[in-house]
Amino acid sequence: MKTLKLFTAIAITAILGFTSCQSEENIQTGTNPNANSSTSPTASNYERAAMNDGSDDDFLDGNACTELLFPLTATVNGQEITLISKLDFSAVLDIMGEFNDDNDSVSFSFPINVKTSSYTEVKVNNQSELDALKQECESAEAQGKDAISCVDINFPITMLTYDITLEQTGSVVVQSEKQLYTFMTDLQSDELFAVNYPINATLSNGTEVQIKSDAEFTDSISECVQFEDEKDEAAETAVEVEAILSGAKFTVDSYIVAGVNTANDYVNYTIEFTNDLKLIAKDTVNTTTGEIEGTYAVSSETEVFLNTTFASNTAVSALGNDWVVSTYSNTLISLHSKTDASVTLTFKKI
């Protein structure tokens, strides 16, 4: 899941379902030296944080800036599938995850409908139009006009409004991200606003925060963007690690438990990582011994994980664990246990 989403140039000409209310009595009267203009950094932060999140379906359209609308039909790795809701994503991921050394392909049965970061619904008639939306997304990302999806504001919140003399003109209770986006994009050059702090928010790292100022909101964004960057970097590393493992055979170069290297217990074994996420351990000396099968999976958060599983009571059962990838190269994968960093394992490619 990317953090960034598209800030499109499409203007909203009609606002539907905007139910924010302006109070008859101002929550805060008088002047406010902290009021912000529509072009202020605070306005940009709140506008970008309120954009529509289109990142959940990136594995289908490769575009965090558009949300695919249902129903739609796609051909995934040669298999046609109709998606009625997000519940059907798992079927797509199962097809894509069948092999880890192939190039996944997705083609849509056009036309399809998408919702942009500005909550505008667009009919896409062909791949060229879909590619154009992706290019808009990349342009917005390069200009810092993309969405910030790693901070979820807990609604409702109240926005105080002011004129250019800093006299308060009213207050607006905002109930949703869409209403907040509308409020921010409707601000005129002669209108100012201030957030009625404190507000609460949840960051993508799971942290719940109380925000008491514009500066604290900026700090929260910086914190969660850094977390998302670390996740993206780990995801890229996971792809590299999986590519090194897939279809290759390894030996146990070291296996340290309680300070003792027990690699000699596995000196006769090769461990093969197949492209369909299976493990095959084979005794190369005693060829009458049958193969020992298991499974593996590479995943990531801010670190890269390798889960290995073998059946119990086999010669290689102890190699099954939830591992953290410590270091890697084209020939060596060094791991430590997720629950006990003193337990380490190193695979060497044959």
Side-chain angles (χ1 to χ4, degrees), residues 36-216:
N36 302 281
S37 72
S38 61
T39 59
S40 66
T42 297
S44 176
N45 283 340
Y46 276 97
E47 180 179 325
R48 293 170 65 192
M51 288 178 177
N52 183 50
D53 185 1
S55 61
D56 286 349
D57 51 32
D58 286 359
F59 60 94
L60 277 169
D61 64 1
N63 186 350
C65 310
T66 55
E67 175 190 356
L68 296 171
L69 300 181
F70 304 105
L72 61 89
T73 300
T75 301
V76 182
N77 292 351
Q79 300 184 49
E80 185 175 280
I81 183 169
T82 297
L83 292 86
I84 305 300
S85 71
K86 289 185 178 181
L87 295 176
D88 296 314
F89 284 170
S90 59
V92 175
L93 293 171
D94 286 343
I95 295 171
M96 291 180 166
E98 186 175 3
F99 302 102
N100 61 7
D101 63 349
D102 60 344
N103 293 318
D104 295 316
S105 63
V106 177
S107 58
F108 295 102
S109 297
F110 294 100
I112 63 173
N113 295 309
V114 302
K115 186 184 292 185
T116 69
S117 293
S118 62
Y119 296 90
T120 304
E121 293 191 14
V122 177
K123 182 178 180 180
V124 181
N125 295 297
N126 51 54
Q127 187 62 46
S128 295
E129 291 181 5
L130 192 62
D131 291 341
L133 287 175
K134 186 174 182 180
Q135 290 176 356
E136 285 184 45
C137 181
E138 293 170 351
S139 176
E141 183 177 331
Q143 297 174 47
K145 296 181 179 180
D146 46 321
I148 300 168
S149 61
C150 61
V151 54
D152 288 329
I153 298 169
N154 298 343
F155 294 97
I157 64 173
T158 300
M159 311 298 279
L160 311 177
T161 58
Y162 299 83
D163 60 25
I164 56 175
T165 68
L166 298 179
E167 289 294 330
Q168 187 175 344
T169 57
S171 64
V172 177
V173 178
V174 180
Q175 301 282 357
S176 68
E177 286 186 342
K178 184 176 181 180
Q179 290 182 7
L180 177 58
Y181 180 81
T182 300
F183 174 84
M184 300 310 307
T185 54
D186 277 354
L187 280 173
Q188 303 299 307
S189 59
D190 60 348
E191 295 177 318
L192 304 176
F193 77 96
V195 182
N196 188 39
Y197 294 107
I199 65 172
N200 296 312
T202 304
L203 308 185
S204 57
N205 62 7
T207 303
E208 295 187 6
V209 294
Q210 185 179 75
I211 299 168
K212 300 177 182 178
S213 67
D214 293 342
E216 287 187 10

Side-chain angles (χ1 to χ4, degrees), residues 1-3 150 204-205 221-238 299-305:
M1 143 192 101
K2 298 182 180 177
T3 303
C150 61
S204 57
N205 62 7
I221 290 173
S222 297
E223 178 183 338
C224 71
V225 166
Q226 181 179 352
F227 175 76
E228 291 297 315
D229 287 345
E230 291 172 358
K231 284 180 62 178
D232 289 345
E233 184 178 349
E236 293 174 2
T237 299
S299 61
S300 66
E301 291 178 8
T302 54
E303 296 179 293
V304 179
F305 305 109

